[in-house]
């Protein structure tokens, strides 16, 4: 980014705005660094070192949050200049943390009187000396984080205080908890009426009522209506419970579905590449949140999860070859998740070397892994697949069918050409891609990637409803495609040669 533009922005920032920017960067910059920053230039240097100013999008989010539209216009002019000069643009700008934006909105709306009330209520937990040094709500939030009373997944104390200060501000926290892609893993209410759950879920609960894990199971299963991100397809109608008889799938037919009879179901291998030594590849902040979500969800679905961190290209191949040589007689399925940088038809090892997508699946074909023959093999790839961005378009209204269209509908490629070599010719494979070919995928540096977080959320929802995996991935497509990420879109793409329906349920 142009240093002159950054200098002009620095000159326009007052001390309170600089403090706000530093607070908003709390998830992408080290707290010790932030405490030493005295002006905007120092902040921009730190962000540049992290690769967060390779384009203007992250800084735009910061300035938009603090309502400095005049400075946004400076950035837009700088972006247009860079485009005209042909300077390369990068993809994976991090998304500003929704958690920090929520706290900033509370700070904006908190009156001086309520700030003093907040400090009084925290006096026994933070100490008088620390609170005396807090002149704004952002200072109080920073102290609460330092004392581990507040985080993106720990909001109980903040809610307790806001109830006494301003109930409107408490609603901001509740909205964040509903909308957050990770809220369902952290904020779960107990079941008030087990009869409102699907029959299959109630059966699991009744069967395990006397086990030591019953209480934990109940808590984990009972996701309340207010905690689920709003989706038209899941909203209850008037006078109808969230889980009604209409939501229950019909009885499963054995001949129609893959058999899931073992516990554990099989292995879930997660290859999580965060730190890269390859030239031009930055570290992938936020990927640990994806790893945690995958470990949690597939653990609940009955898989033994094996996580491998920071593998080179050769190490990835070796790990997959080693896994393919195992005996899968006592397994029902296999899951492989790869979290890394990528290009079209490949992912990168930490050394910057490429591993073709076909190489990921080859060790598990029927010829090489005979004990996996006829069993589902699921691959989920979180990586960019090119350097392009996806933009949104307004859909055209449907036209009445007539003439040639009614008798002989034409065929079109959907969301770009599908490369047949990416899907093995052998049966029973599924590859879930974070994005279509030639395009980039997005990752939040504090809460994880858009695709993996949506996938984990939908897998849990589908476990309650007996949805098959293709229905689940359709919901993932819908959720991700509805979002807007730095003014761009993202479209996941599943590819499969499954021969039966696969329904993953909780064990």
């Amino acid at each position: 980014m142009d240093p002159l533009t950054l200098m002009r922005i620095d000159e326009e920032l007052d001390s309170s705005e600089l403090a706000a920017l530093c607070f908003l960067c709390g998830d992408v910059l080290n707290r010790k660094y932030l405490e030493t920053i005295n002006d905007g230039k120092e902040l921009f240097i730190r962000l540049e070192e992290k690769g967060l100013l390779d384009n203007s999008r992250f800084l735009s989010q910061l300035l938009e949050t603090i309502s400095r539209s005049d400075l946004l216009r400076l950035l837009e002019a700088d972006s247009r200049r860079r485009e005209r000069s042909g300077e390369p643009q990068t993809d994976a700008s991090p998304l500003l943390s929704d958690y920090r934006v929520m706290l900033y909105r509370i700070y904006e709306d908190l009156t001086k009187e309520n700030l003093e009330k907040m400090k009084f209520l925290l006096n026994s937990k933070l100490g008088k000396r620390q609170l005396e040094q807090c002149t704004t709500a952002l200072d109080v939030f920073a102290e609460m984080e330092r004392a581990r009373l507040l985080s993106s997944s720990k909001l109980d104390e903040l809610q307790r205080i806001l109830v006494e200060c301003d109930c409107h501000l408490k609603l901001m926290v509740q909205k964040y908890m509903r909308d957050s892609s990770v809220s369902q893993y952290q904020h779960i209410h107990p079941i008030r009426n087990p009869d409102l759950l699907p029959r299959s879920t109630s059966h699991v609960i009744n069967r395990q009522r006397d086990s030591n894990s019953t209480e934990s199971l109940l808590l984990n299963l009972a996701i309340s209506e207010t905690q689920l991100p709003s989706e038209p397809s899941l909203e209850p109608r008037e006078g109808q419970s969230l889980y009604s008889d209409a939501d229950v799938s019909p009885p499963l037919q054995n001949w129609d579905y893959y058999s899931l009879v073992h516990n554990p179901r099989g292995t879930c291998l997660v290859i999580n590449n965060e730190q890269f030594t390859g030239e031009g590849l930055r570290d992938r902040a936020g990927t640990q949140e994806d790893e945690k979500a995958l470990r949690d969800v597939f653990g609940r679905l009955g898989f033994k999860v094996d996580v491998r961190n920071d593998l080179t290209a050769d190490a990835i191949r070796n790990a997959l070859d080693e896994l393919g040589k195992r005996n899968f007689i006592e397994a029902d399925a296999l899951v492989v998740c790869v979290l890394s940088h990528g290009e079209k038809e490949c992912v990168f090892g930490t050394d910057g070397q490429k591993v073709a997508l076909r190489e990921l699946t080859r060790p598990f074909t029927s010829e090489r892994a005979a004990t996996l023959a006829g069993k589902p093999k699921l691959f989920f790839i979180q990586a960019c697949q090119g350097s392009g961005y996806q933009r949104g378009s307004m859909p055209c209204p449907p036209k009445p069918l007539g003439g040639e269209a009614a008798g002989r509908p034409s065929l079109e490629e959907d969301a770009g050409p599908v490369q047949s070599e990416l899907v093995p010719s052998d049966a029973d494979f599924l590859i879930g891609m974070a994005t279509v070919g030639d395009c980039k995928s997005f990752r939040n540096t504090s809460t994880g990637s858009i695709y993996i977080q949506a996938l984990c959320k939908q897998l849990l929802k589908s476990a309650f409803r007996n949805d098959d995996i293709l229905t689940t991935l359709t919901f993932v497509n819908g959720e991700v495609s509805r979002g807007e990420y730095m003014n761009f879109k993202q479209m996941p793409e599943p590819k499969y040669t499954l021969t039966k329906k696969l329904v993953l349920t909780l064990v």
Side-chain angles (χ1 to χ4, degrees), residues 285-301:
T287 190
Q288 293 302 331
E289 295 303 313
D290 289 345
E291 180 263 309
K292 290 176 187 175
L294 291 168
R295 182 194 295 273
D296 175 56
V297 170
F298 281 105
R300 295 188 193 186
L301 295 175

Side-chain angles (χ1 to χ4, degrees), residues 46-169:
R46 296 296 185 189
L47 291 174
E48 210 156 29
E49 289 173 351
K50 289 284 188 177
L52 302 179
L53 294 185
D54 288 350
N55 57 44
S56 63
R57 293 184 185 91
F58 185 67
L59 185 53
S60 293
Q61 293 175 72
L62 290 172
L63 296 177
E64 184 178 4
T65 301
I66 66 171
S67 302
R68 288 302 303 265
S69 56
D70 55 329
L71 301 182
L72 276 172
R73 287 193 287 272
L74 287 177
L75 285 183
E76 290 169 0
D78 179 59
S79 295
R80 288 193 294 269
R81 180 194 61 78
R82 295 180 69 193
E83 288 177 4
R84 287 195 299 270
S85 65
E87 292 184 34
Q89 301 291 308
T90 60
D91 77 313
S93 301
L95 302 176
L96 188 58
S97 164
D98 291 337
Y99 159 70
R100 298 220 165 259
V101 172
M102 178 266 295
L103 293 180
Y104 180 80
R105 298 303 179 211
I106 293 174
Y107 150 75
E108 282 187 310
D109 290 354
L110 195 70
T111 64
K112 186 175 182 180
E113 178 184 358
N114 281 332
L115 173 60
E116 293 305 316
K117 191 182 293 185
M118 176 184 285
K119 291 165 67 173
F120 176 78
L121 293 170
L122 284 168
N123 191 60
S124 62
K125 296 194 174 182
L126 291 182
K128 186 176 180 181
R129 178 178 298 179
Q130 285 84 352
L131 288 170
E132 284 177 348
Q133 297 174 354
C134 295
T135 59
T136 70
L138 296 183
D139 296 333
V140 175
F141 297 151
E143 286 297 329
M144 291 178 69
E145 289 179 327
R146 198 172 283 114
R148 302 196 177 189
L149 296 175
L150 178 64
S151 71
S152 60
S153 61
K154 191 172 185 179
L155 297 164
D156 294 343
E157 186 68 20
L158 179 61
Q159 288 194 88
R160 182 186 70 82
I161 293 169
L162 292 179
V163 166
E164 304 298 328
C165 298
D166 188 336
C167 285
H168 168 71
L169 299 180

